[in-house]
Coordinates of all heavy atoms in Angstrom, one line a residue:
M240 N -11.2 -8.9 32.7 CA -11.4 -7.7 31.8 C -12.9 -7.3 31.9 O -13.2 -6.1 32.0 CB -10.9 -8.1 30.4 CG -10.1 -7.1 29.7 SD -9.3 -5.6 30.4 CE -8.8 -4.8 29.0
A241 N -13.8 -8.3 31.7 CA -15.1 -8.0 31.6 C -15.8 -7.3 32.8 O -16.7 -6.7 32.8 CB -15.9 -9.3 31.3
S242 N -15.1 -7.6 33.9 CA -15.6 -7.1 35.3 C -15.0 -5.8 35.7 O -15.2 -5.4 36.8 CB -15.6 -8.1 36.3 OG -14.2 -8.6 36.5
S243 N -14.2 -5.2 34.9 CA -13.4 -4.0 35.3 C -14.4 -2.9 35.5 O -15.5 -2.8 34.8 CB -12.4 -3.6 34.3 OG -12.9 -2.8 33.3
P244 N -14.2 -1.9 36.4 CA -15.1 -0.8 36.6 C -15.3 0.0 35.3 O -16.6 0.5 35.2 CB -14.4 0.1 37.5 CG -13.3 -0.8 38.2 CD -13.0 -1.8 37.1
I245 N -14.5 0.1 34.4 CA -14.6 0.9 33.3 C -15.6 0.3 32.4 O -16.6 0.9 31.8 CB -13.3 1.0 32.4 CG1 -12.2 1.8 33.3 CG2 -13.5 1.7 31.1 CD1 -12.5 3.2 33.6
V246 N -15.6 -1.1 32.2 CA -16.4 -1.9 31.5 C -17.9 -1.7 32.0 O -18.9 -1.6 31.3 CB -16.1 -3.4 31.3 CG1 -17.1 -4.2 30.7 CG2 -14.8 -3.4 30.5
K247 N -18.0 -1.9 33.3 CA -19.3 -1.6 34.0 C -19.9 -0.4 33.7 O -21.1 -0.2 33.4 CB -19.1 -1.9 35.5 CG -19.2 -3.3 35.9 CD -19.1 -3.5 37.4 CE -18.9 -4.9 37.8 NZ -18.4 -5.0 39.2
L248 N -19.1 0.7 33.7 CA -19.5 2.0 33.5 C -20.1 2.1 32.0 O -21.1 2.8 31.8 CB -18.4 3.1 33.6 CG -18.2 3.5 35.0 CD1 -16.9 4.4 35.2 CD2 -19.4 4.4 35.5
Q249 N -19.3 1.5 31.1 CA -19.7 1.6 29.7 C -21.0 0.8 29.5 O -21.8 1.1 28.7 CB -18.6 1.0 28.8 CG -17.5 1.9 28.7 CD -16.2 1.3 28.0 OE1 -16.1 0.1 28.0 NE2 -15.4 2.2 27.3
T250 N -21.1 -0.3 30.2 CA -22.3 -1.2 30.0 C -23.5 -0.6 30.6 O -24.6 -0.5 29.9 CB -22.0 -2.6 30.7 OG1 -20.8 -3.1 30.2 CG2 -23.1 -3.5 30.4
Y251 N -23.4 0.1 31.8 CA -24.6 0.6 32.4 C -24.8 2.1 32.1 O -25.8 2.7 32.6 CB -24.6 0.2 33.9 CG -24.6 -1.2 34.0 CD1 -23.4 -1.8 34.6 CD2 -25.6 -2.1 33.8 CE1 -23.3 -3.2 34.8 CE2 -25.5 -3.3 33.9 CZ -24.4 -4.0 34.4 OH -24.3 -5.4 34.6
G252 N -23.9 2.7 31.5 CA -24.0 4.1 31.1 C -24.0 5.0 32.2 O -24.5 6.1 32.1
A253 N -23.3 4.6 33.3 CA -23.2 5.6 34.5 C -22.2 6.7 34.1 O -21.4 6.5 33.2 CB -22.8 4.8 35.6
R254 N -22.2 7.7 34.9 CA -21.3 8.8 34.7 C -20.0 8.4 35.5 O -20.0 8.0 36.5 CB -21.9 10.0 35.3 CG -21.2 11.3 35.0 CD -21.9 12.5 35.5 NE -23.0 12.8 34.6 CZ -22.9 13.8 33.6 NH1 -21.8 14.4 33.4 NH2 -24.0 14.1 32.9
A255 N -18.9 8.6 34.8 CA -17.6 8.4 35.4 C -17.3 9.4 36.4 O -17.4 10.5 36.3 CB -16.5 8.4 34.3
V256 N -16.9 8.8 37.6 CA -16.5 9.6 38.7 C -15.2 10.1 38.7 O -15.0 11.2 39.2 CB -16.9 9.0 40.1 CG1 -18.4 9.2 40.4 CG2 -16.5 7.6 40.1
N257 N -14.2 9.4 38.4 CA -12.9 9.9 38.3 C -12.3 10.3 37.0 O -12.9 9.9 36.0 CB -11.9 8.9 39.0 CG -11.7 7.6 38.3 OD1 -11.3 7.7 37.1 ND2 -12.0 6.5 38.8
K258 N -11.4 11.1 37.0 CA -10.9 11.7 35.7 C -10.4 10.8 34.7 O -10.7 10.8 33.5 CB -9.7 12.6 36.1 CG -9.8 13.9 35.4 CD -8.7 14.9 35.8 CE -8.6 16.1 35.0 NZ -7.6 17.1 35.4
S259 N -9.7 9.7 35.1 CA -9.1 8.7 34.1 C -10.3 7.9 33.5 O -10.3 7.7 32.3 CB -8.1 7.9 34.8 OG -8.6 7.1 35.8
A260 N -11.2 7.6 34.3 CA -12.4 6.8 33.8 C -13.1 7.7 32.8 O -13.5 7.3 31.8 CB -13.3 6.4 34.9
S261 N -13.3 9.0 33.1 CA -14.0 9.9 32.4 C -13.3 10.0 30.9 O -13.9 10.1 30.0 CB -14.0 11.2 33.0 OG -14.6 12.2 32.1
S262 N -12.0 10.1 31.0 CA -11.3 10.4 29.8 C -11.3 9.1 28.8 O -11.5 9.3 27.6 CB -9.8 10.7 30.0 OG -9.1 9.5 30.4
I263 N -11.3 7.9 29.5 CA -11.5 6.7 28.7 C -12.9 6.6 28.0 O -13.1 6.3 26.9 CB -11.2 5.5 29.5 CG1 -9.7 5.4 29.9 CG2 -11.6 4.2 28.8 CD1 -9.3 4.5 30.9
L264 N -13.9 7.0 28.9 CA -15.3 6.9 28.4 C -15.6 7.9 27.3 O -16.2 7.6 26.3 CB -16.3 7.1 29.5 CG -16.4 5.9 30.5 CD1 -17.3 6.3 31.7 CD2 -17.0 4.7 29.7
S265 N -15.1 9.2 27.4 CA -15.3 10.2 26.4 C -14.5 9.8 25.3 O -15.0 10.2 24.1 CB -15.0 11.5 27.0 OG -13.7 11.6 27.4
H266 N -13.4 9.3 25.4 CA -12.5 8.9 24.2 C -13.2 8.0 23.3 O -13.1 8.0 22.1 CB -11.2 8.4 24.7 CG -10.3 8.1 23.7 ND1 -9.5 9.1 23.1 CD2 -9.8 7.0 23.0 CE1 -8.7 8.6 22.1 NE2 -9.0 7.3 22.0
K267 N -14.1 7.1 23.9 CA -14.8 6.1 23.2 C -15.8 6.7 22.2 O -16.1 6.1 21.2 CB -15.5 5.1 24.2 CG -14.6 4.0 24.7 CD -14.7 2.8 23.8 CE -13.6 1.7 24.1 NZ -13.5 0.7 23.2
K268 N -16.3 7.7 22.6 CA -17.4 8.4 21.7 C -16.8 9.2 20.6 O -17.5 9.3 19.6 CB -18.2 9.3 22.6 CG -19.1 8.6 23.6 CD -19.8 9.6 24.6 CE -20.4 8.8 25.7 NZ -20.5 9.6 26.9
K269 N -15.6 9.5 20.7 CA -14.9 10.3 19.5 C -14.8 9.3 18.4 O -14.6 8.1 18.6 CB -13.6 10.8 19.9 CG -13.8 12.1 20.8 CD -12.4 12.6 21.2 CE -12.5 13.5 22.5 NZ -11.2 13.6 23.1
P270 N -14.6 9.8 17.1 CA -14.3 8.8 16.1 C -12.9 8.2 16.4 O -12.0 8.7 16.7 CB -14.1 9.7 14.8 CG -14.2 11.2 15.3 CD -14.8 11.2 16.7
Q271 N -13.0 6.8 16.2 CA -11.9 6.0 16.8 C -10.7 6.3 16.1 O -10.5 6.2 14.8 CB -12.2 4.6 16.7 CG -12.3 3.9 18.1 CD -12.4 2.5 18.0 OE1 -12.7 1.8 16.9 NE2 -12.2 1.8 19.1
K272 N -9.6 6.7 16.9 CA -8.3 6.9 16.3 C -7.5 5.6 16.6 O -7.5 5.1 17.7 CB -7.6 8.0 17.1 CG -6.5 8.6 16.2 CD -5.8 9.7 16.9 CE -4.5 10.1 16.2 NZ -3.7 11.0 16.9
L273 N -7.1 5.0 15.5 CA -6.4 3.7 15.7 C -5.0 3.8 16.3 O -4.3 4.8 16.1 CB -6.2 3.0 14.3 CG -7.6 2.6 13.7 CD1 -7.4 2.1 12.3 CD2 -8.3 1.6 14.5
S274 N -4.7 2.8 17.1 CA -3.4 2.8 17.7 C -2.4 2.5 16.6 O -2.8 2.0 15.5 CB -3.3 1.7 18.8 OG -3.4 0.4 18.2
K275 N -1.1 2.7 16.9 CA -0.1 2.5 16.0 C -0.1 1.0 15.5 O 0.1 0.8 14.4 CB 1.3 2.8 16.6 CG 2.3 3.1 15.6 CD 3.6 3.5 16.3 CE 4.8 3.6 15.3 NZ 6.1 3.9 15.9
Q276 N -0.3 0.1 16.5 CA -0.2 -1.4 16.2 C -1.4 -1.8 15.3 O -1.3 -2.5 14.4 CB -0.3 -2.2 17.6 CG 1.0 -2.1 18.3 CD 0.8 -1.3 19.5 OE1 0.4 -0.2 19.4 NE2 1.3 -1.9 20.6
A277 N -2.5 -1.1 15.6 CA -3.8 -1.4 14.8 C -3.6 -0.9 13.4 O -4.0 -1.6 12.4 CB -5.0 -0.7 15.4
R278 N -3.0 0.2 13.2 CA -2.8 0.9 12.0 C -1.8 0.0 11.1 O -2.0 -0.4 9.9 CB -2.3 2.3 12.0 CG -3.4 3.2 11.8 CD -2.9 4.7 11.8 NE -2.6 5.1 13.2 CZ -1.3 5.7 13.5 NH1 -0.5 6.0 12.5 NH2 -1.1 6.0 14.7
Q279 N -0.7 -0.5 11.9 CA 0.3 -1.4 11.2 C -0.4 -2.6 10.8 O -0.1 -3.1 9.7 CB 1.3 -1.7 12.3 CG 2.7 -1.8 11.7 CD 3.8 -1.6 12.8 OE1 3.5 -1.9 13.9 NE2 4.9 -1.1 12.4
K280 N -1.3 -3.2 11.6 CA -2.0 -4.4 11.3 C -2.9 -4.3 9.9 O -2.9 -5.1 9.1 CB -2.8 -4.9 12.5 CG -3.4 -6.3 12.3 CD -2.4 -7.3 12.7 CE -2.7 -8.6 12.1 NZ -1.5 -9.5 11.9
L281 N -3.6 -3.2 9.9 CA -4.4 -2.8 8.7 C -3.6 -2.8 7.5 O -3.9 -3.2 6.5 CB -5.2 -1.5 9.0 CG -6.4 -1.7 10.0 CD1 -7.1 -0.4 10.1 CD2 -7.5 -2.7 9.3
N282 N -2.4 -2.1 7.6 CA -1.5 -2.0 6.5 C -1.0 -3.3 6.1 O -0.9 -3.5 4.9 CB -0.3 -1.1 7.0 CG -0.7 0.4 7.0 OD1 -1.7 0.8 6.5 ND2 0.2 1.2 7.7
E283 N -0.7 -4.2 7.0 CA -0.3 -5.5 6.7 C -1.3 -6.3 5.9 O -1.1 -6.9 4.9 CB 0.0 -6.3 7.9 CG 1.4 -6.2 8.5 CD 1.6 -6.8 9.8 OE1 1.1 -7.9 10.1 OE2 2.4 -6.2 10.6
I284 N -2.7 -6.1 6.4 CA -3.8 -6.8 5.7 C -3.9 -6.1 4.3 O -4.1 -6.8 3.3 CB -5.0 -6.7 6.5 CG1 -4.9 -7.5 7.8 CG2 -6.2 -7.1 5.8 CD1 -5.9 -7.1 8.9
D285 N -3.8 -4.8 4.3 CA -3.9 -4.1 3.0 C -2.9 -4.6 2.0 O -3.1 -4.7 0.7 CB -3.7 -2.7 3.2 CG -4.3 -1.8 2.2 OD1 -5.5 -2.0 1.9 OD2 -3.5 -0.9 1.7
A286 N -1.6 -4.8 2.5 CA -0.5 -5.3 1.6 C -0.8 -6.6 1.0 O -0.1 -7.0 0.0 CB 0.8 -5.1 2.4
L287 N -1.6 -7.4 1.6 CA -1.9 -8.7 1.1 C -3.0 -8.8 0.1 O -3.3 -9.7 -0.6 CB -2.1 -9.7 2.2 CG -1.0 -10.0 3.2 CD1 -1.4 -10.8 4.4 CD2 0.2 -10.7 2.5
K288 N -3.8 -7.7 0.0 CA -4.9 -7.7 -0.8 C -4.5 -7.7 -2.3 O -3.5 -7.0 -2.7 CB -5.8 -6.4 -0.6 CG -7.1 -6.7 0.1 CD -7.9 -5.4 0.2 CE -8.8 -5.4 1.4 NZ -9.4 -4.2 1.6
V289 N -5.2 -8.4 -3.1 CA -5.0 -8.4 -4.6 C -6.0 -7.5 -5.2 O -7.2 -7.6 -5.0 CB -5.0 -9.8 -5.2 CG1 -4.9 -9.8 -6.7 CG2 -4.0 -10.7 -4.5
R290 N -5.5 -6.5 -5.9 CA -6.4 -5.6 -6.6 C -6.2 -5.7 -8.1 O -5.2 -6.1 -8.5 CB -6.2 -4.3 -6.1 CG -6.5 -4.0 -4.6 CD -6.1 -2.6 -4.2 NE -6.7 -2.3 -2.8 CZ -6.0 -2.5 -1.7 NH1 -4.8 -2.9 -1.8 NH2 -6.6 -2.2 -0.6
R291 N -7.1 -5.0 -8.8 CA -7.0 -5.0 -10.2 C -6.9 -3.5 -10.7 O -7.7 -2.7 -10.2 CB -8.1 -5.7 -11.0 CG -7.8 -5.8 -12.4 CD -8.6 -6.9 -13.2 NE -8.4 -6.7 -14.6 CZ -7.4 -7.2 -15.2 NH1 -6.5 -8.0 -14.6 NH2 -7.2 -7.0 -16.5
C292 N -5.8 -3.2 -11.5 CA -5.7 -1.8 -11.9 C -6.2 -1.8 -13.4 O -5.8 -2.5 -14.2 CB -4.3 -1.4 -11.9 SG -4.1 0.3 -12.5
T293 N -7.3 -0.9 -13.6 CA -7.9 -0.8 -14.9 C -7.0 -0.2 -15.9 O -7.1 -0.4 -17.2 CB -9.2 -0.1 -14.9 OG1 -9.1 1.0 -14.1 CG2 -10.3 -1.0 -14.1
I294 N -6.1 0.7 -15.4 CA -5.2 1.4 -16.2 C -4.0 0.4 -16.7 O -3.7 0.4 -17.9 CB -4.6 2.6 -15.6 CG1 -5.7 3.7 -15.4 CG2 -3.5 3.3 -16.4 CD1 -5.5 4.8 -14.4
C295 N -3.4 -0.3 -15.9 CA -2.3 -1.2 -16.2 C -2.9 -2.5 -16.6 O -2.1 -3.2 -17.3 CB -1.5 -1.5 -15.0 SG -0.8 0.0 -14.2
K296 N -4.1 -2.8 -16.4 CA -4.8 -4.0 -16.8 C -4.1 -5.2 -16.2 O -3.9 -6.2 -16.9 CB -4.9 -4.2 -18.4 CG -5.9 -3.1 -19.0 CD -5.9 -3.0 -20.5 CE -6.8 -1.9 -21.0 NZ -6.2 -0.6 -20.7
I297 N -3.7 -5.1 -15.0 CA -3.0 -6.2 -14.3 C -3.6 -6.3 -12.9 O -4.1 -5.3 -12.4 CB -1.5 -6.0 -14.2 CG1 -1.1 -4.7 -13.5 CG2 -0.8 -6.3 -15.6 CD1 0.2 -4.6 -12.9
S298 N -3.5 -7.4 -12.4 CA -3.8 -7.6 -11.0 C -2.4 -7.5 -10.2 O -1.5 -7.9 -10.7 CB -4.4 -9.0 -10.7 OG -5.6 -9.0 -11.3
Y299 N -2.6 -6.8 -9.0 CA -1.4 -6.7 -8.3 C -1.7 -6.8 -6.8 O -2.8 -6.7 -6.4 CB -0.8 -5.3 -8.4 CG -1.7 -4.1 -8.1 CD1 -1.6 -3.6 -6.8 CD2 -2.6 -3.6 -9.0 CE1 -2.5 -2.5 -6.4 CE2 -3.6 -2.6 -8.6 CZ -3.4 -2.1 -7.3 OH -4.3 -1.1 -7.0
Q300 N -0.7 -7.1 -6.0 CA -0.8 -7.3 -4.7 C -0.1 -6.1 -4.0 O 0.9 -5.8 -4.2 CB -0.1 -8.7 -4.2 CG -0.6 -9.1 -2.8 CD 0.1 -10.4 -2.4 OE1 1.2 -10.6 -2.6 NE2 -0.7 -11.3 -1.8
G301 N -0.9 -5.5 -3.1 CA -0.4 -4.4 -2.3 C -1.4 -3.3 -2.2 O -2.5 -3.4 -2.6
S302 N -0.9 -2.2 -1.7 CA -1.8 -1.1 -1.4 C -2.0 -0.3 -2.7 O -1.2 -0.2 -3.6 CB -1.3 -0.1 -0.3 OG -0.4 0.8 -0.9
L303 N -3.2 0.3 -2.8 CA -3.6 1.1 -4.0 C -2.7 2.3 -4.2 O -2.2 2.6 -5.2 CB -5.0 1.6 -3.7 CG -5.7 2.3 -4.8 CD1 -6.1 1.4 -5.9 CD2 -6.9 3.1 -4.3
V304 N -2.4 2.9 -3.1 CA -1.5 4.1 -3.1 C 0.0 3.7 -3.6 O 0.5 4.4 -4.5 CB -1.3 4.7 -1.6 CG1 -0.4 5.9 -1.7 CG2 -2.7 5.2 -1.2
A305 N 0.4 2.6 -3.1 CA 1.8 2.1 -3.5 C 1.8 1.8 -4.9 O 2.8 2.2 -5.7 CB 2.2 0.9 -2.7
H306 N 0.7 1.3 -5.5 CA 0.6 1.0 -6.9 C 0.6 2.2 -7.8 O 1.2 2.3 -8.7 CB -0.6 0.0 -7.2 CG -0.7 -0.1 -8.7 ND1 0.2 -1.0 -9.4 CD2 -1.5 0.3 -9.6 CE1 -0.2 -1.0 -10.7 NE2 -1.2 -0.1 -10.8
K307 N -0.2 3.1 -7.3 CA -0.4 4.4 -8.1 C 0.9 5.2 -8.2 O 1.1 5.9 -9.0 CB -1.5 5.2 -7.5 CG -2.8 4.7 -7.9 CD -3.9 5.6 -7.7 CE -5.2 5.0 -8.4 NZ -6.4 5.8 -8.1
L308 N 1.8 4.9 -7.2 CA 3.0 5.7 -7.1 C 4.1 4.9 -7.9 O 5.2 5.4 -8.1 CB 3.4 6.0 -5.7 CG 2.6 7.0 -5.0 CD1 3.0 7.1 -3.5 CD2 2.7 8.4 -5.6
S309 N 3.8 3.7 -8.3 CA 4.9 2.9 -8.9 C 5.1 3.3 -10.4 O 4.2 4.0 -11.1 CB 4.4 1.4 -8.9 OG 3.4 1.2 -9.9
Q310 N 6.3 3.1 -10.8 CA 6.7 3.5 -12.1 C 5.8 2.9 -13.3 O 5.5 3.5 -14.2 CB 8.2 3.1 -12.3 CG 9.2 4.0 -11.6 CD 9.0 5.5 -12.0 OE1 8.8 5.8 -13.1 NE2 9.0 6.4 -10.9
I311 N 5.5 1.6 -13.1 CA 4.8 0.9 -14.1 C 3.4 1.6 -14.2 O 2.9 1.9 -15.3 CB 4.5 -0.6 -13.6 CG1 5.8 -1.3 -13.4 CG2 3.5 -1.3 -14.6 CD1 5.6 -2.6 -12.6
H312 N 2.7 2.0 -13.1 CA 1.4 2.7 -13.2 C 1.5 4.0 -13.8 O 0.7 4.4 -14.7 CB 0.8 2.7 -11.8 CG -0.5 3.3 -11.8 ND1 -1.7 2.6 -12.2 CD2 -1.0 4.6 -11.6 CE1 -2.8 3.4 -12.2 NE2 -2.3 4.6 -11.9
K313 N 2.5 4.8 -13.4 CA 2.8 6.1 -13.9 C 2.9 6.1 -15.5 O 2.4 6.8 -16.3 CB 3.9 6.8 -13.4 CG 3.6 7.3 -11.9 CD 4.8 8.0 -11.3 CE 4.5 8.5 -9.9 NZ 5.8 8.9 -9.2
K314 N 3.7 5.1 -16.0 CA 4.0 4.9 -17.3 C 2.7 4.5 -18.1 O 2.4 5.1 -19.2 CB 5.0 3.8 -17.5 CG 6.0 4.1 -18.5 CD 7.1 3.0 -18.4 CE 7.5 2.3 -19.7 NZ 8.4 1.3 -19.6
N315 N 1.9 3.6 -17.5 CA 0.7 3.2 -18.2 C -0.3 4.2 -18.2 O -1.1 4.4 -19.1 CB 0.2 2.0 -17.5 CG 0.9 0.7 -17.8 OD1 1.4 0.5 -19.0 ND2 1.1 -0.2 -16.9
K316 N -0.3 5.1 -17.1 CA -1.3 6.1 -17.1 C -1.0 7.2 -18.1 O -2.0 7.8 -18.6 CB -1.3 6.8 -15.6 CG -2.4 7.6 -15.3 CD -2.4 8.2 -14.0 CE -3.6 9.1 -13.7 NZ -3.5 9.8 -12.4
L317 N 0.2 7.5 -18.2 CA 0.7 8.5 -19.2 C 0.2 8.0 -20.7 O -0.2 8.7 -21.5 CB 2.1 8.7 -19.2 CG 2.7 9.8 -20.0 CD1 2.3 11.2 -19.5 CD2 4.2 9.8 -20.0
A318 N 0.5 6.7 -20.9 CA 0.2 6.1 -22.2 C -1.3 6.1 -22.4 O -1.7 6.4 -23.5 CB 0.7 4.6 -22.3
D319 N -2.0 5.8 -21.4 CA -3.5 5.9 -21.4 C -4.0 7.2 -21.8 O -4.9 7.3 -22.6 CB -4.0 5.5 -20.1 CG -5.4 4.9 -20.1 OD1 -5.6 4.1 -21.0 OD2 -6.2 5.3 -19.3
M320 N -3.4 8.2 -21.2 CA -3.8 9.7 -21.4 C -3.5 10.1 -22.9 O -4.2 10.7 -23.6 CB -3.2 10.6 -20.4 CG -3.8 10.7 -19.1 SD -2.8 11.3 -17.8 CE -2.4 12.9 -18.4
L321 N -2.3 9.7 -23.4 CA -1.9 10.0 -24.7 C -2.8 9.3 -25.7 O -3.1 9.9 -26.7 CB -0.5 9.7 -24.9 CG 0.6 10.5 -24.2 CD1 1.9 9.9 -24.3 CD2 0.5 11.9 -24.6
E322 N -3.2 8.2 -25.4 CA -4.1 7.5 -26.3 C -5.5 8.2 -26.4 O -6.0 8.2 -27.4 CB -4.3 6.1 -25.7 CG -4.2 5.0 -26.9 CD -4.1 3.6 -26.2 OE1 -3.0 3.1 -26.0 OE2 -5.2 2.9 -26.1
I323 N -6.0 8.6 -25.2 CA -7.3 9.3 -25.3 C -7.2 10.6 -26.1 O -8.1 10.9 -26.9 CB -7.8 9.6 -23.8 CG1 -8.1 8.3 -23.2 CG2 -8.9 10.6 -23.8 CD1 -8.1 8.4 -21.6
K324 N -6.1 11.3 -26.0 CA -5.9 12.5 -26.7 C -5.9 12.4 -28.2 O -6.4 13.3 -28.9 CB -4.6 13.2 -26.2 CG -4.8 14.1 -25.0 CD -3.5 14.8 -24.6 CE -3.6 15.4 -23.2 NZ -2.3 15.9 -22.8
R325 N -5.4 11.2 -28.7 CA -5.3 11.0 -30.0 C -6.7 10.9 -30.9 O -7.5 10.4 -30.3 CB -4.4 9.8 -30.4 CG -3.0 10.3 -30.6 CD -2.1 9.0 -30.8 NE -0.9 9.1 -30.1 CZ -0.2 8.1 -29.6 NH1 -0.6 6.8 -29.8 NH2 1.0 8.3 -29.1
Ligands
ZN388 ZN1 -1.9 0.7 -12.4

């Protein structure tokens, strides 16, 4: 892997001569778009994270988005808002 022509080009900063090498090199410079597998992996890691919700006053495991969409959170958020209004 380390001795592939693409890696050499990246290492020494030479200009890519063929189209496929060029597309790989220029792709590297763009903000990295994660592959499906990479995103899946990140989601898996995210799902194992333990976070604390200040509204529900509980610690939960999982993604922030999933928690915010959960019924428990919605209920607590509503209760929280009503309490502020009073
Ligand atoms: Zn919550």
Side-chain angles (χ1 to χ4, degrees):
M240 225 10 191
S242 59
S243 89
I245 299 294
V246 171
K247 277 182 189 162
L248 277 171
Q249 286 172 333
T250 307
Y251 302 110
R254 190 176 281 268
V256 277
N257 69 55
K258 220 176 175 181
S259 62
S261 171
S262 77
I263 291 166
L264 285 172
S265 59
H266 187 77
K267 274 272 170 188
K268 283 169 195 157
K269 286 177 195 162
Q271 242 188 350
K272 200 179 172 195
L273 293 173
S274 69
K275 202 178 174 186
Q276 287 105 313
R278 264 184 285 135
Q279 216 160 30
K280 191 79 203 157
L281 282 177
N282 285 342
E283 276 172 35
I284 294 163
D285 200 52
L287 293 173
K288 247 186 208 169
V289 175
R290 296 178 167 91
R291 188 165 171 81
C292 180
T293 49
I294 293 167
C295 302
K296 294 171 184 72
I297 55 153
S298 292
Y299 62 93
Q300 195 179 45
S302 85
L303 185 75
V304 179
H306 174 73
K307 284 198 168 168
L308 291 172
S309 72
Q310 285 304 315
I311 301 165
H312 182 82
K313 282 180 182 171
K314 223 169 128 183
N315 285 323
K316 195 179 177 183
L317 187 70
D319 202 46
M320 276 161 59
L321 289 172
E322 220 166 280
I323 290 162
K324 274 181 189 170
R325 263 178 223 152

